[in-house]
Amino acid sequence: MATSTQQFTPDASADPDQREAVFDIFRRWGYLQATLDPLGQYLAPEPFPTPAPEGDHAAEARTFYCGSIGLEFMHIANLAQRQWLQQQIEQTPQTPDQAHILSSLIRADIFEQVIQSRYLGTKRFSLEGLTVLIPFLDTVLATSSALGANTAVLAMSHRGRLNVMTNTIGRSPAEIFARFEDVNPRSVLGGGDVKYHMGATGEYRAPDGNAIALHLVSNPSHLEAVDPVALGRSRAKQTRISVNSSDQNGRDQVLPICMHGDAAFAGQGILAECLVLGALHGYEVGGTIQVIVNNLLGFTAAPEESNASRFASDIAKRLPVPIFHVNAEDADAVVRVAAVAAEYRRRYHSDVVVDLVGYRRHGHSEVDDPTVTQPRRYAAIKDH
């Protein structure tokens, strides 16, 4: 696993006003020079709109804002929220439980490799290239459970769905494999694409012993159509809690998590509508963790062919919500962002967007040959 931060010792005699002025530039524009694409093909560093300073202050700021994490937050009007995010980013992070992270990654990768070797040529919408989603979800759930959450409603498209069902929700791998076999169609509700549409329920047990009930919402092929369903179910659960307990809104106990593809996040209008609804009093759910499972490829379209701006997440910048971009091959950085995102959501009852930037190991559905439509990217993936 890569290391997300460099050690830097600031000059104790430095002028604090000068340091603050330099840091302000990096807080605003540092994400433009963060190292995000694991393959180095897209998201090359861009010049700042204002000249980037040099010197010790700039070198220190770069370690926080131009590494594996790029944070967009200066569009948030609330000063307290900006300052809290600064405090979280501008410090040397604690070393996470790397053994647990590695174990999660191994389980996620082996799951995909077994399906690839045993059911070659069968659609599964592999998570390979972004299996860090599994330890990311672990950290979000563990952090949220410590903050009082006891239920999570998850929504996602096809990519990685089977992996999440097994390694996060707790569905038996044997049950997943049976759907590929079509051993007993009546018991598994048939074959074909149905296995990528079905929901699942389970339980996450945090290291501290707290449990979170999990519900993955069923989702048909119209990918983002599941967003309002998940938010509506979350709101209903929260309302039921507020009626039956002393918790007046229930939003601290029910956590919505929505996972999206990058092209869908940028291009499907229902997502933009849900972002706004989630911030309105009549519909809000205390904030949603919005995760972009970003392989920088929409079916066969490169980012510049499907995004009108630098990032797929830019649609969210019209709202006062933080946007974290993180290199998916820096697992330490990913779980750090997961913990900050979960705490921010709980503290400020706001959406948080996390853009996990990785790649897609195989074709769109494992039955197509991506070397025909994306030869350069897949040559880089093969070498990688």
Side-chain angles (χ1 to χ4, degrees):
M1 293 181 290
T3 301
S4 59
T5 32
Q6 302 172 356
Q7 297 296 324
F8 186 91
T9 304
D11 183 358
S13 63
D15 180 358
D17 292 336
Q18 182 184 14
R19 180 181 183 275
E20 186 67 15
V22 170
F23 264 66
D24 185 69
I25 292 174
F26 282 90
R27 290 166 187 152
R28 293 179 184 278
W29 310 115
Y31 68 93
L32 293 174
Q33 296 185 3
T35 305
L36 299 175
D37 182 7
L39 302 179
Q41 184 178 14
Y42 297 118
L43 301 176
E46 282 190 2
F48 293 173
T50 187
E54 299 296 337
D56 288 348
H57 297 316
E60 182 187 6
R62 282 186 183 279
T63 64
F64 300 128
Y65 290 104
C66 301
S68 298
I69 299 172
L71 173 59
E72 297 184 75
F73 71 111
M74 293 299 283
H75 60 284
I76 299 174
N78 187 293
L79 177 61
Q81 292 173 233
R82 294 202 312 272
Q83 289 179 334
W84 187 87
L85 288 166
Q86 289 170 202
Q87 292 168 1
Q88 302 306 306
I89 293 298
E90 294 172 16
Q91 59 177 282
T92 301
Q94 296 180 346
T95 302
D97 185 349
Q98 294 182 328
H100 176 73
I101 296 171
L102 181 59
S103 177
S104 298
L105 292 171
I106 289 172
R107 287 199 306 271
D109 273 312
I110 288 178
F111 175 82
E112 299 288 0
Q113 291 167 14
V114 167
I115 299 179
Q116 175 69 8
S117 61
R118 185 163 182 174
Y119 307 104
L120 186 64
T122 303
K123 290 195 292 184
R124 74 178 191 276
F125 299 98
S126 165
L127 191 59
E128 288 170 277
L130 275 158
T131 49
V132 77
L133 177 65
I134 302 303
F136 173 88
L137 291 174
D138 274 359
T139 304
V140 167
L141 294 171
T143 305
S144 299
S145 70
L147 296 171
N150 54 37
T151 303
V153 179
L154 294 83
M156 67 185 302
S157 56
H158 298 351
R159 176 119 358 249
R161 188 178 185 88
L162 298 180
N163 210 313
V164 169
M165 287 172 68
T166 298
N167 290 304
T168 301
I169 306 297
R171 185 67 65 86
S172 165
E175 186 178 350
I176 301 293
F177 299 151
R179 292 176 186 157
F180 286 92
E181 301 276 2
D182 264 353
V183 175
N184 184 348
R186 291 185 179 179
S187 68
V188 298
L189 304 182
D193 281 345
V194 172
K195 53 182 167 287
Y196 311 110
H197 297 171
M198 293 177 62
T201 58
E203 184 180 80
Y204 172 80
R205 184 71 62 174
D208 61 5
N210 290 332
I212 292 187
L214 304 178
H215 174 58
L216 177 65
V217 181
S218 301
N219 186 14
S221 294
H222 214 318
L223 306 180
E224 297 297 324
V226 74
D227 298 341
V229 178
L231 297 182
R233 289 188 179 181
S234 298
R235 175 81 176 201
K237 290 176 182 292
Q238 293 171 354
T239 300
R240 185 175 298 170
I241 290 171
S242 67
V243 170
N244 297 324
S245 76
S246 58
D247 187 340
Q248 293 302 306
N249 46 43
R251 57 189 181 180
D252 294 338
Q253 296 184 45
V254 181
L255 170 69
I257 304 173
C258 290
M259 290 160 274
H260 320 265
D262 48 310
F265 196 95
Q268 292 200 3
I270 194 170
L271 179 278
E273 295 173 24
C274 287
L275 288 174
V276 173
L277 287 172
L280 297 179
H281 173 70
Y283 307 90
E284 59 90 18
V285 290
T288 301
I289 305 293
Q290 307 278 2
V291 188
I292 304 176
V293 185
N294 189 347
N295 51 48
L296 297 173
L297 196 57
F299 191 21
T300 61
E304 65 270 14
E305 298 170 326
S306 57
N307 300 352
S309 55
R310 179 174 175 85
F311 295 108
S313 60
D314 282 349
I315 187 70
K317 286 177 70 173
R318 66 186 193 154
L319 296 170
V321 301
I323 302 170
F324 291 88
H325 308 280
V326 57
N327 188 317
E329 293 216 337
D330 188 342
D332 289 359
V334 169
V335 298
R336 179 188 180 195
V337 166
V340 173
E343 186 172 351
Y344 184 92
R345 183 264 172 192
R346 170 63 174 78
R347 181 181 292 264
Y348 297 108
H349 299 111
S350 162
D351 277 18
V352 183
V353 178
V354 179
D355 182 16
L356 298 178
V357 184
Y359 57 92
R360 191 182 72 196
R361 177 69 182 85
H362 302 284
H364 173 69
S365 62
E366 291 79 42
V367 299
D368 62 299
D369 181 5
T371 63
V372 176
T373 53
Q374 293 289 336
R376 292 183 179 177
R377 186 149 187 86
Y378 276 84
I381 289 172
K382 180 180 178 182
D383 293 342
H384 190 69

